[in-house]
Amino acid sequence: MRTERNLTRLDRVFARLDREPERPTHLDVPRMSRHRVVLFSATLAFYLAIVVAVLTTSWLVRFDWQVMFFRPYQQWPEIHAFLDYWVVLGQRGPTAVMVAAWLGWRSWRQHTLRPLLMFGASLLLLNVTVGAAKLGMGRLGPHYATTIGSNEMWLGGDIFPSGHTANAVVTWGILAYLASTPRTRRYLSAVSAVVSLSVGLTTVYLGTHWLSDVFLGWAAGLLILLALPWFEPLITRIEAVIFGVRESWRARRAGTAALPEPAAIPGAPVGAPAMVPQRPRAEEQMPAREPVGAARSARTPAYLAPGPHTARSERTPVTPAGSRRPPHSDRATRGTTSARPVAGG
C-alpha cells in the first residue's frame, strides 16, 4: 500500500512559493480611491489637532505630565527587560534591514523592483516629513523636561513626533501595502497595527516619549502609508527606466562579446590593419569522393612512377663519376708512369 506523507503548514507555504509566477501581473496595486482620500484627510486633521493641542498647552500636555509622574517602568518593573528588546522593532536600522531583505528576495523571485522601490520611497518620505517636524518644533523629552506643566517646545529637542512609532507604522505597514492578495493584506494590516501600537506604548512605558509624541507618530506613519498610491506612477516609470538601462547594457555586452578583436599577424608592420585568416569552405575541406562503382584495383598507386619496372637484381649499378678522394698534388695518379730524369753516361 502506498502512503503519502502529510504536509505540514511550513511545507505548504514553501510549495506555494514554488508555484508563484516569476512576474505576476494580477497584483492588486492600491489606488487612491475615494475611501483612501477620506482616510487621508481625517488622519491629517488628527495630526494638525495634536500639534495645535500641544502648542496651546491644552489638556493633552497636562495628561502627558500625569503619565510621566506615574512612571510606568516603576509600576511594572518585571516587564522592563522584555520591553527593552521589543522597542527595537521601532528602530529604523534593524527593521529596515530585515524588511529590505524580505522585499529583496521577493523582488528577485518575481523579477520586479516595485517592492524595493516602494519601500525606499516610504523611508524617504518618513525621513523628510518626520525629521522636519522633529527639528522644526524641537520638543524636549520627559527625561529632559525643565518646567512642570509646560509643552517643552522649541528647546532643541527632537522627539515630537515619535520616530520609533512612525517608523514601526511605516516599516511593518509596507508589508501589508505590498501584499499580493486582499486576504494577506488584512492579516498583515492587523499584525502591523499591533506592532506599531505596542512599540509606541513601550516608549511611553520607558519614559522616552510623551503620550502626545506617540499619537503624532501614529498619525505621521499612517499619512505616509495612505499617500503611497500617489507615487505608484512614478515608481512604475523608474522601474521601466532601470530595466531599459539593464537591457541596453546587456545588448551592448553581448555585441562586444560576439565580435572579438582580430589578432595581429606576426611580422606585419605597425599600424597595418590586422588580417584574420579565413577558414576554408566546407567544400574545400572535404576530400574528393570517387564513384561508388569504381573498382579499387583500377586505382594507380600514387607512390609508383609511371613506366616499366625491373627487379632490383637486374638493375645496372650506378657508379658515381669522379674519385671520392680529395686531390693530392704530391701523388701521381694510379696506373701512370712518372717521368724521371735519365742519368747520362
Side-chain angles (χ1 to χ4, degrees):
M1 177 182 292
R2 181 181 176 182
T3 58
E4 295 183 357
R5 183 175 62 91
N6 293 329
L7 296 178
T8 62
R9 183 180 298 272
L10 185 61
D11 293 336
R12 288 195 295 268
V13 169
F14 280 108
R16 184 177 180 182
L17 290 177
D18 291 337
R19 293 193 303 268
E20 189 174 0
E22 291 186 352
R23 189 179 177 86
T25 57
H26 62 280
L27 293 180
D28 184 16
V29 178
R31 298 181 179 181
M32 188 56 70
S33 60
R34 182 178 301 179
H35 177 69
R36 187 177 286 268
V37 171
V38 171
L39 287 177
F40 181 85
S41 303
T43 307
L44 182 60
F46 178 76
Y47 184 97
L48 296 176
I50 296 296
V51 173
V52 171
V54 173
L55 291 178
T56 57
T57 317
S58 64
W59 63 269
L60 185 57
V61 175
R62 294 192 297 270
F63 189 68
D64 285 340
W65 280 97
Q66 292 175 2
V67 173
M68 193 270 288
F69 285 131
F70 182 70
R71 292 180 174 84
Y73 57 90
Q74 292 182 356
Q75 301 296 328
W76 303 284
E78 60 275 3
I79 61 175
H80 195 288
F82 170 75
L83 293 182
D84 277 337
Y85 291 101
W86 184 258
V87 79
V88 177
L89 295 178
Q91 287 186 354
R92 194 163 306 164
T95 56
V97 171
M98 290 187 292
V99 175
W102 166 256
L103 295 180
W105 179 85
R106 181 177 170 184
S107 297
W108 169 78
R109 183 169 182 80
Q110 296 181 348
H111 295 271
T112 175
L113 294 177
R114 179 176 171 266
L116 283 178
L117 292 177
M118 291 305 301
F119 183 56
S122 63
L123 290 183
L124 181 61
L125 290 174
L126 177 67
N127 292 331
V128 171
T129 57
V130 176
K134 282 174 172 287
L135 298 178
M137 289 182 279
R139 190 182 189 187
L140 292 176
H143 293 315
Y144 304 97
T146 56
T147 305
I148 297 177
S150 65
N151 55 15
E152 303 296 322
M153 299 288 287
W154 296 295
L155 295 177
D158 58 349
I159 66 164
F160 187 65
S162 172
H164 273 70
T165 306
N167 184 73
V169 174
V170 173
T171 303
W172 303 111
I174 195 68
L175 297 178
Y177 179 85
L178 295 173
S180 303
T181 60
R183 182 180 180 182
T184 307
R185 183 174 295 122
R186 287 194 298 267
Y187 289 157
L188 292 178
S189 298
V191 172
S192 62
V194 171
V195 173
S196 58
L197 288 173
S198 59
V199 167
L201 294 178
T202 300
T203 60
V204 177
Y205 168 86
L206 297 175
T208 57
H209 279 286
W210 306 100
L211 188 60
S212 57
D213 299 342
V214 175
F215 289 160
L216 199 65
W218 286 333
L222 189 57
L223 283 175
I224 294 173
L225 291 180
L226 291 174
L228 284 180
W230 278 327
F231 296 90
E232 287 287 352
L234 178 61
I235 295 301
T236 303
R237 288 195 295 268
I238 293 176
E239 182 184 16
V241 169
I242 294 176
F243 280 135
V245 172
R246 186 193 66 175
E247 294 301 328
S248 62
W249 179 76
R250 284 182 176 178
R252 190 181 303 111
R253 184 179 179 184
T256 305
L259 298 175
E261 295 184 359
I265 300 177
V270 180
M275 302 296 294
V276 180
Q278 297 182 356
R279 285 187 172 184
R281 296 180 181 179
E283 295 81 5
E284 298 176 2
Q285 291 182 354
M286 297 182 62
R289 298 181 179 179
E290 60 182 6
V292 179
R296 291 181 175 269
S297 60
R299 296 182 182 178
T300 302
Y303 55 86
L304 295 178
H309 298 278
T310 57
R312 185 175 185 84
S313 59
E314 299 176 0
R315 295 177 188 175
T316 304
V318 179
T319 303
S323 177
R324 296 182 180 181
R325 296 182 180 181
H328 296 277
S329 58
D330 57 342
R331 294 184 182 181
T333 306
R334 183 178 299 178
T336 62
T337 306
S338 60
R340 294 183 180 178
V342 178

